[in-house]
Amino acid sequence: MRKLRHWGPGLLLLSPSLILLAVFVYGLIAWTTKVSVSDEHNALGSKGFVGLENYTKLFTEDINDRFTHSLKNLAIFTVVFLVGAMFFGLLWALILERGIKAEGFFRTVYLFPMAVSFVASGVVWRWLMNPNKGENAGGLNAVLGGLGLDSLQSTWWTNPNWGMASMAIPAMWQLAGYVMALFLAGFRGIPAELREAAAMDGASTYRLYRNVIFPQLTPVALSALIILGHMSMKMFDLIMSVSGPQWLTEVPAIYVWQTLLTSDYAKAAAISIILLLLVAVVIVPYLIYTNRAEKNA
């Protein structure tokens, strides 16, 4: 009874959230897993259990290796997006951390893209990355042509070699400011005593950042990588707004949507579970590391 009195009020307050979480998160994951191991390939329903057949077919019998192609596109998009967003976010944070004039203005400018929806920014970037060249050029190609830099004009996301890499440019533009905010908060959270001690020891600016400041930012950098990596794996609306359902820029999230349109629920569920596992591979080790760090602290 004492334990019930101690835990009862808290559980009662949390019960609505726990019920909703159980039904609409874990319940739907369980239902999706059940469908992924069935033969529900049309609107008529499932006839039975097929085990991992739907998963193996994605890697062995998918038409034109479509699923593996979407995974390669996702890998390219994620790497370019993460490298670009982390680089520009850290660069902007370094500039603002040095105490420039009108810091508040520049901080607002860098953060503003975060307030724009992926769909809205995707529509604008579709125009900016117009693949036409020459007299029919538009967007960035028109600007390059006007500057006499026709050799730098690109077909952007329609390029079969690196079109998926260019698709990461809008994502970098939109989320580099978020990374900047994280790093800037990390810079401001470093005790001034560490900087003063390094200065008294005669450390140069390079040594100060290399040996004192940057090591303190490791948790911030790790958090930014995990958050952005998780977002990139589920990227749908931005890519759809820029290129639409194109083969060259297809990722698993778009493949799921197109598969659902054909009522192949088992195949769509299998893709969804694989995508969930990829996200878990990124997030779960980070959660374990965070919990251990908190306990050790």
Side-chain angles (χ1 to χ4, degrees):
M1 288 298 294
R2 290 182 179 178
K3 290 184 178 180
L4 181 61
R5 290 177 181 177
H6 179 72
W7 294 101
L11 290 174
L12 184 62
L13 291 172
L14 289 174
S15 59
S17 299
L18 292 175
I19 293 172
L20 291 174
L21 187 67
V23 173
F24 292 104
V25 177
Y26 297 104
L28 291 179
I29 290 176
W31 179 82
T32 303
T33 303
K34 176 179 176 296
V35 175
S36 71
V37 294
S38 70
D39 60 349
E40 192 172 347
H41 298 293
N42 51 54
L44 299 178
S46 173
K47 297 180 181 178
F49 173 79
V50 296
L52 300 178
E53 179 180 317
N54 295 317
Y55 294 93
T56 56
K57 284 184 176 180
L58 286 173
F59 294 97
T60 59
E61 300 180 21
D62 210 17
I63 299 176
N64 296 324
D65 296 324
R66 187 176 176 183
F67 181 64
T68 54
H69 169 75
S70 69
L71 288 177
K72 291 177 182 177
N73 282 344
L74 179 61
I76 295 172
F77 175 85
T78 300
V79 171
V80 177
F81 167 55
L82 288 179
V83 172
M86 294 294 290
F87 173 78
F88 286 107
L90 179 59
L91 177 63
W92 295 341
L94 278 171
I95 295 174
L96 294 180
E97 192 266 340
R98 302 292 291 178
I100 64 171
K101 293 182 179 180
E103 176 189 331
F105 169 77
F106 287 107
R107 189 168 60 240
T108 302
V109 169
Y110 294 148
L111 282 172
F112 174 75
M114 277 189 59
V116 182
S117 70
F118 283 126
V119 174
S121 64
V123 171
V124 175
W125 277 98
R126 180 180 177 87
W127 174 79
L128 287 173
M129 295 196 297
N130 189 319
N132 294 326
K133 296 183 178 181
E135 296 180 355
N136 298 322
L140 294 175
N141 282 346
V143 174
L144 294 172
L147 296 174
L149 302 175
D150 300 70
S151 60
L152 297 180
Q153 291 182 339
S154 172
T155 54
W156 302 108
W157 53 268
T158 62
N159 189 301
N161 296 321
W162 53 278
M164 200 64 212
S166 67
M167 190 62 66
I169 296 175
M172 285 189 292
W173 171 82
Q174 193 146 9
L175 290 169
Y178 173 70
V179 179
M180 176 215 67
L182 292 178
F183 277 122
L184 190 58
F187 279 125
R188 299 290 164 81
I190 297 175
E193 292 80 4
L194 292 178
R195 298 172 184 263
E196 295 173 358
M200 292 179 64
D201 290 339
S204 62
T205 302
Y206 170 78
R207 288 294 182 184
L208 173 64
Y209 280 90
R210 173 67 178 83
N211 298 328
V212 178
I213 295 179
F214 284 157
Q216 298 291 322
L217 296 177
T218 301
V220 176
L222 183 58
S223 297
L225 283 172
I226 296 301
I227 294 171
L228 295 185
H230 166 245
M231 295 179 67
S232 68
M233 290 184 184
K234 301 191 301 180
M235 192 65 68
F236 172 83
D237 39 5
L238 179 63
I239 295 176
M240 282 291 292
S241 300
V242 175
S243 67
Q246 300 287 335
W247 164 263
L248 288 175
T249 58
E250 187 174 74
V251 292
I254 295 177
Y255 193 11
V256 169
W257 172 70
Q258 290 191 307
T259 305
L260 281 173
L261 292 180
T262 64
S263 298
D264 193 343
Y265 301 114
K267 184 176 181 179
I271 299 173
S272 300
I273 294 300
I274 292 176
L275 195 57
L276 175 65
L277 293 176
L278 289 176
V279 173
V281 167
V282 173
I283 293 180
V284 171
Y286 170 72
L287 294 177
I288 295 174
Y289 166 79
T290 303
N291 289 333
R292 288 181 178 177
E294 290 179 354
K295 289 180 179 179
N296 294 334

